[in-house]
Amino acid sequence: MADLNIDRIIDAIVGGDEYRLRAWFEQPVRDPDIVRHRQEVFGDLGEESVRAVFDEFAVCMRIMRKRLARRDRVHHPYQRQWWQLSAAAEYVDAVAAMAESLTGLPLTSRALTRWREFVSAYVAGPDFGRLAAAVRRVRRALGEVRYSIRIVDRTLEVAPADASPDYSAAIAKLFSCFGSGGPRAPRVRSEWDDTSLMEEQILDRVAALHPAAFELLTEFSREFQTFADPDVAAFDREIQFYLAYLAFLRRVGGATCLPRLASRGAPVHAEDAFDLALLTHRHRGGNTVVCNDFQLSGPERVLVVTGPNQGGKTTFARTVGQLVYFAALGCPVPARAACLPLPDRLCTHFERAEQAGDPDGRLAEELVRIREILAAATADSVLVLNESFSATGTADAVRIGRDVLDRIVERGSFAVWVTFFDELARTGPATVSMVAATDPDDPSRRTFRIERRPADGNAHAVALAERFGLTYDRVVARITSCE
């Protein structure tokens, strides 16, 4: 997760994780039917008209939960009952609106088609009808409550509404002569959750004046303590797996696609693929992310990536790993088109800093890790290796690398290997050489394009030294001139 920067991507997707989605994004699946099932839903939600319905439903359900949370924070019985009524009203409106909106939408996925059938039957059923009727009845009764308040000698008197004129308009008109604006709109709710002592006393006296309406409110609160259908609540959370991912893709930009699943022996490829993690911290108006292609077909199993430092090799390797990972979640992937394997495991072998307390050294630690990976690898595994075995000399690293490559090919695993050793790119038909390109006119400038071609063995360090005046001859000349 850390080697491929997938943990950073998931952080950007789930944010505060209101819906507890992290566990789903951290668990790729192995069943191709589940992957296709999710891809179908993503395909439907790719239509803005469809996605808007579920986005609106999610907003309303979030409002409902906030109102229930307010109910649990206040103490006065009537206020608690009112927040519960308000939450139920939001729920009724949200479900009814979604059922109506889904009627004419062109849904093709199995999941959302079945959901449309369910919610239509639920809205037409007796339970929802009884809840909706109760909400309308109580709100209508409370909406008809009228009362008057008089302040007499610093005492509040609550009485039934009388025929006294409303002086608000007359007072506003009078003050408008002095340049004052119109009256402010009344506050919809208090600035704090709970009521003050004075408000509670007013509410109790109003309830005493209108016992029938408040009795309906109390009965509603008892009967519909839990009013949300469990399936609706579960759907509200599960649909966020799709909505949150799509919202993330809209934020970061870039072309994405729903990949095809490669059967065993079928070519694996991606066109215009890019690293999603780069976009999570790219500033608006920043540099354009460079896209790359790759393909493995026939006996080819391993992409061996060579070239200069800071040329995009590790980013390319991470891109391949991210493509495979998010394809195994059933999600759109960062590429214009792709056909990817569904792995039984995705393993990484990245260079680690040597620990002072490690008695065996970094090379031994790398060998132990690669042995564990190879012991578990199968023909359905995908491996990503980055600068492995660079802790030893070139001859030993090449010998170890060839042995590891032979074992990867023997198991039939797919792999991408970033290395400094060009010899590993020439080990047989199972390996494909890819090279981080530089500008032909300025070898010190990286293009971040990863090209499929034989490793060239160019000494890019020499080009950099020449650019900054650090070749042996120029350094000696400067020293000599200072003597």
Side-chain angles (χ1 to χ4, degrees), residues 132-340:
V135 167
R136 289 194 299 269
R137 183 169 58 252
V138 179
R139 295 183 75 181
R140 188 186 313 115
L142 291 176
E144 294 173 354
V145 169
R146 296 290 185 272
Y147 60 94
S148 63
I149 295 178
R150 294 180 64 213
I151 304 175
V152 181
D153 294 333
R154 292 179 294 179
T155 302
L156 279 175
E157 294 181 356
V158 180
D162 52 29
S164 300
D166 183 357
Y167 293 105
S168 302
I171 294 173
K173 183 178 179 181
L174 173 63
F175 278 92
S176 66
C177 300
F178 302 99
S180 99
R184 295 180 180 178
R187 283 206 312 259
V188 177
R189 58 178 175 83
S190 301
E191 296 175 355
W192 47 85
D193 286 340
D194 216 342
T195 51
S196 67
L197 179 60
M198 182 176 63
E199 289 171 328
E200 289 180 359
Q201 291 176 349
I202 294 173
L203 180 55
D204 288 336
R205 293 175 186 178
V206 171
L209 291 172
H210 301 274
F214 283 86
E215 181 59 30
L216 284 176
L217 177 62
T218 301
E219 291 176 2
F220 177 90
S221 178
R222 283 197 300 260
E223 184 176 359
F224 297 102
Q225 183 69 30
T226 302
F227 52 81
D229 184 274
D231 291 328
V232 175
F235 178 84
D236 175 44
R237 181 191 174 210
E238 292 175 9
I239 195 66
Q240 288 300 319
F241 173 82
Y242 305 92
L243 297 179
Y245 189 79
L246 291 174
F248 164 74
L249 292 183
R250 292 196 300 275
R251 288 197 306 273
V252 300
T256 60
C257 71
L258 288 169
R260 292 186 292 111
L261 298 182
S263 57
R264 185 171 294 184
V268 172
H269 68 88
E271 300 174 17
D272 290 338
F274 58 92
D275 181 354
L276 268 179
L278 291 179
L279 298 183
T280 62
H281 56 79
R282 181 183 63 169
H283 298 295
R284 187 178 297 275
N287 295 331
T288 302
V289 175
V290 176
C291 300
N292 283 290
D293 307 336
F294 67 86
Q295 179 171 345
L296 291 169
S297 59
E300 298 168 347
R301 286 294 179 271
V302 184
L303 300 170
V304 179
V305 188
T306 57
N309 282 335
Q310 306 300 318
K313 303 189 302 295
T314 300
T315 297
F316 175 78
R318 287 187 172 121
T319 298
V320 176
Q322 291 170 17
L323 290 170
V324 172
Y325 183 90
F326 285 102
L329 285 172
C331 296
V333 299
R336 184 168 55 84
C339 182
L340 302 167

Side-chain angles (χ1 to χ4, degrees), residues 456-469:
D456 52 27
N458 286 341
H460 297 280
V462 174
L464 285 174
E466 289 176 348
R467 178 177 181 179
F468 293 102

Side-chain angles (χ1 to χ4, degrees), residues 4-131:
L4 301 179
N5 285 337
I6 291 172
D7 51 356
R8 183 193 303 173
I9 297 171
I10 293 176
D11 286 343
I13 294 170
V14 302
D17 207 8
E18 173 188 356
Y19 293 93
R20 309 184 311 282
L21 303 176
R22 181 176 296 276
W24 290 341
F25 280 106
E26 291 180 347
Q27 189 59 53
V29 298
R30 181 74 179 116
D31 187 344
D33 189 59
I34 295 177
V35 171
R36 295 187 185 97
H37 179 95
R38 293 179 177 180
Q39 286 185 343
E40 290 173 6
V41 177
F42 275 114
D44 276 348
L45 294 175
E47 294 290 334
E48 186 176 353
S49 59
V50 176
R51 188 175 64 250
V53 172
F54 295 105
D55 280 335
E56 180 63 25
F57 171 72
V59 169
C60 294
M61 292 295 285
R62 190 175 295 115
I63 293 172
M64 179 204 74
R65 290 192 299 274
K66 288 181 177 179
R67 292 178 178 179
L68 288 176
R70 284 180 172 274
R71 176 201 63 182
D72 297 336
R73 289 197 296 267
V74 299
H75 303 285
H76 193 280
Y78 288 136
Q79 193 184 17
R80 289 175 61 88
Q81 294 165 11
W82 185 86
W83 278 118
Q84 183 169 329
L85 172 67
S86 181
E90 189 69 29
Y91 170 80
V92 167
D93 292 343
V95 176
M98 178 176 58
E100 181 180 359
S101 299
L102 289 177
T103 302
L105 291 179
L107 303 179
T108 59
S109 66
R110 290 168 286 175
L112 294 185
T113 300
R114 289 199 298 265
W115 173 252
R116 177 168 59 187
E117 295 169 355
F118 167 82
V119 77
S120 297
Y122 171 59
V123 169
D127 292 340
F128 185 83
R130 190 162 54 89
L131 172 63

